[in-house]
Amino acid sequence: MGFSFLKMIGFLAILAYLASMLFLKGPKNRVYLFFILFSFPFLHIIIFSDFTVFDIVTLTHLIAFAKSDKVNRTELSIYNIVVLVLFLSIIAGYLLSNFNIENENWFRLIRFFIVFIFCMLLISTAYNDNDFFELWQKRLPLLVMFCILFLGLQMAIGLSVSLVKTLNPNVTIANGIRYPGIFSDPQQFAQFLGASSFLLLLRFNSEEKIKKINWLLFGLCLIGIFAAGGRAGLMGWCLGFFLFILFSNPKYKVYIFGFTIVAGIVIYLFQDKLAIFNRGTDLQDTYDFRAQIWFQAIQMFIENPFFGVGLGNYGEYVFIHYPEQTWVINNELVAFDHPESGYLLYLTETGGIGFLCIMLLILFPLIKSLITFFEFRDINHILFISAILCWIVGFYSTDSLGDVRMKIWVLMIFAIMISYRLKQTETKIEEETTD
């Protein structure tokens, strides 16, 4: 799709949001959050000054429609403090950087924290809205279905079916195509599908069974991962799948085993069209190349240990100091925008302080959810962890958060995981107090 056509879709999405706010009934925060879910494939479209549909809709909502639903929990106060420290450390990184501070730096900082504001709004809404979890779970399959159908069109018609202006060079390989789906990078798509597959198995009403369509989409997500050719994404999915099998109900193990066999047969029959079987690059060569870039990234961190080189400055830094980290896109020499690892990117750009904050925001909720699982034996906690693992493992080899939609998706999973756990523990405390 042409860029102008995508921009038109972006404007239509903003109009759809405004219409939803004005004409749909129900809590405004819930309407906004479900709009984000339904419009997810188009939230990355840039409208002006690198501000996306998501940025504009979220800022508009905060200014005109948002309702404050506070949650007085110590854990959330800790997250707010960590985010504040991260914010201040990034500002310090800009001030101490060797690069001039431009408007783009401040715009990037604003966009970076808009998704955190979205996360906090989601936590408070889900926590205070008793119907939110079930309604969200019932709407999720529609988004996954759209992404799977889009992948099918892409495989049938070709890469001209796309929702981005430019596809990453790693889409085309010697022996085939790594399908990126709604994203520009197939690794992002693999991580998205892996996380989505586990979210489809959530049950917020214990009396309801997992629908057959969810199981079907679960299997199709696995096939999509193979079509995207994401090795790291597949590794993350396998780790999450193992965790789920380990702790799941025996009844579901039978279902999972059956769907795995069916998916395996489909994958075998269509292996010639699945990129993961056709990647000609030798693994050793791939990791030798990455090892060199990783080493240079570590050197960057050693030279800027506390506050990094500045958020978004990685490309400028390597263009000057490591000119071998460049490639040609549309006949133009462009510097790498990340060191083949999301973790190393944030380590180099935000320094040790910022990176520590980010890791705390990732690991603390996961550990709390694992502890809560052993307390309640609620498999939903394992499914949330499995979904996050798909991203955590894949993030080591690519900066998937470079696309705002992946930022939204990862933080959405964290937000729902945290709010669900807080709601569950609060209910138990109230029951014990009543008794």
Side-chain angles (χ1 to χ4, degrees):
M1 297 183 186
F3 181 62
S4 58
F5 182 70
L6 286 177
K7 205 162 190 175
M8 182 178 69
I9 292 177
F11 280 113
L12 290 175
I14 294 173
L15 291 175
Y17 161 74
L18 294 174
S20 299
M21 288 294 107
L22 295 174
F23 300 112
L24 290 183
K25 296 181 180 180
K28 295 301 183 185
N29 287 352
R30 183 204 287 179
V31 173
Y32 157 75
L33 291 168
F34 286 155
F35 170 82
I36 294 296
L37 183 67
F38 284 129
S39 62
F40 179 82
F42 314 109
L43 294 177
H44 67 296
I45 297 173
I46 295 173
I47 302 301
F48 63 87
S49 297
D50 286 341
F51 280 87
T52 63
V53 171
F54 170 75
D55 299 325
I56 295 169
V57 165
T58 301
L59 287 173
T60 302
H61 185 75
L62 292 172
I63 294 170
F65 300 105
K67 179 183 177 182
S68 177
D69 294 317
K70 293 184 179 180
V71 182
N72 296 318
R73 299 296 292 267
T74 302
E75 180 180 337
L76 297 184
S77 299
I78 294 173
Y79 294 145
N80 290 335
I81 292 171
V82 173
V83 170
L84 177 61
V85 173
L86 175 60
F87 182 82
L88 294 175
S89 70
I90 291 176
I91 292 177
Y94 281 145
L95 296 175
L96 297 174
S97 172
N98 293 326
F99 301 100
N100 294 328
I101 303 177
E102 301 177 353
N103 289 337
E104 172 57 27
N105 295 115
W106 301 118
F107 289 156
R108 182 179 289 110
L109 183 62
I110 293 170
R111 295 195 303 270
F112 186 78
F113 280 94
I114 286 176
V115 291
F116 282 103
I117 296 171
F118 158 77
C119 182
M120 295 172 188
L121 182 63
L122 177 51
I123 290 174
S124 63
T125 302
Y127 183 86
N128 290 288
D129 188 337
N130 293 328
D131 298 324
F132 183 86
F133 296 112
E134 289 187 47
L135 292 173
W136 182 85
Q137 196 272 338
K138 290 177 181 178
R139 286 159 173 74
L140 174 66
L142 297 176
L143 170 61
V144 179
M145 196 181 304
F146 174 87
C147 295
I148 293 295
L149 289 174
F150 192 89
L151 172 62
L153 285 175
Q154 205 169 57
M155 296 178 73
I157 299 174
L159 296 177
S160 59
V161 180
S162 175
L163 290 179
V164 294
K165 182 181 178 182
T166 305
L167 295 173
N168 280 15
N170 63 352
V171 167
T172 304
I173 56 178
N175 300 318
I177 295 173
R178 299 176 61 191
Y179 293 96
I182 64 173
F183 295 92
S184 62
D185 190 324
Q187 296 181 84
Q188 294 172 339
F189 192 43
Q191 292 173 29
F192 169 79
L193 290 175
S196 300
S197 68
F198 293 110
L199 298 178
L200 289 165
L201 304 185
L202 290 167
R203 285 191 311 152
F204 296 115
N205 185 343
S206 58
E207 297 179 359
E208 290 187 1
K209 295 182 179 180
I210 299 173
K211 294 180 179 179
K212 293 180 180 178
I213 185 64
N214 288 37
W215 285 109
L216 175 61
L217 291 172
F218 178 86
L220 291 175
C221 282
L222 176 58
I223 295 172
I225 293 173
F226 278 85
R231 292 171 180 146
L234 180 60
M235 288 170 58
W237 185 89
C238 289
L239 183 59
F241 185 68
F242 171 77
L243 191 67
F244 179 50
I245 286 290
L246 185 64
F247 294 110
S248 65
N249 188 301
K251 176 179 64 175
Y252 290 119
K253 292 180 182 179
V254 174
Y255 291 145
I256 293 167
F257 183 71
F259 274 96
T260 303
I261 291 177
V262 173
I265 293 172
V266 174
I267 289 168
Y268 175 77
L269 292 175
F270 294 94
Q271 59 181 300
D272 291 340
K273 288 187 171 291
L274 301 179
I276 205 161
F277 297 112
N278 298 311
R279 294 184 62 178
T281 304
D282 182 77
L283 278 175
Q284 188 60 48
D285 291 341
T286 300
Y287 284 107
D288 285 345
F289 170 72
R290 284 180 175 169
Q292 178 185 359
I293 297 176
W294 291 344
F295 175 77
Q296 292 173 345
I298 292 172
Q299 290 297 118
M300 287 174 60
F301 166 67
I302 293 173
E303 294 168 4
N304 306 271
F306 298 108
F307 301 104
V309 298
L311 185 67
N313 286 341
Y314 181 87
E316 291 186 58
Y317 191 95
V318 299
F319 196 84
I320 297 172
H321 298 279
Y322 302 107
E324 62 272 23
Q325 291 192 38
T326 57
W327 53 13
V328 178
I329 300 179
N330 296 330
N331 297 319
E332 182 180 354
L333 191 64
V334 179
F336 287 15
D337 58 0
H338 68 86
E340 297 289 327
S341 170
Y343 298 108
L344 286 177
L345 174 67
Y346 284 102
L347 182 66
T348 57
E349 288 192 344
T350 66
I353 296 175
F355 184 75
L356 178 61
C357 291
I358 292 171
M359 294 308 296
L360 286 173
L361 292 172
I362 293 172
L363 296 178
F364 189 70
L366 289 177
I367 294 171
K368 292 282 289 186
S369 291
L370 187 61
I371 293 172
T372 306
F373 166 75
F374 287 113
E375 181 181 357
F376 289 91
R377 290 292 171 176
D378 183 347
I379 196 63
N380 284 342
H381 298 293
I382 296 298
L383 287 168
F384 282 126
I385 294 171
S386 295
I388 293 294
L389 284 176
C390 292
W391 168 73
I392 283 178
V393 175
F395 197 55
Y396 93 89
S397 66
T398 184
D399 172 33
S400 54
L401 299 185
D403 189 309
V404 68
R405 292 170 296 179
M406 281 303 298
K407 285 193 184 82
I408 296 166
W409 199 240
V410 171
L411 287 179
M412 181 181 288
I413 299 171
F414 272 111
I416 296 178
M417 177 178 71
I418 291 169
S419 54
Y420 177 70
R421 174 171 47 77
L422 291 176
K423 190 74 172 178
Q424 192 174 58
T425 54
E426 182 190 63
T427 302
K428 181 183 178 183
I429 293 172
E430 290 178 352
E431 291 175 352
E432 290 175 349
T433 303
T434 303
D435 294 337

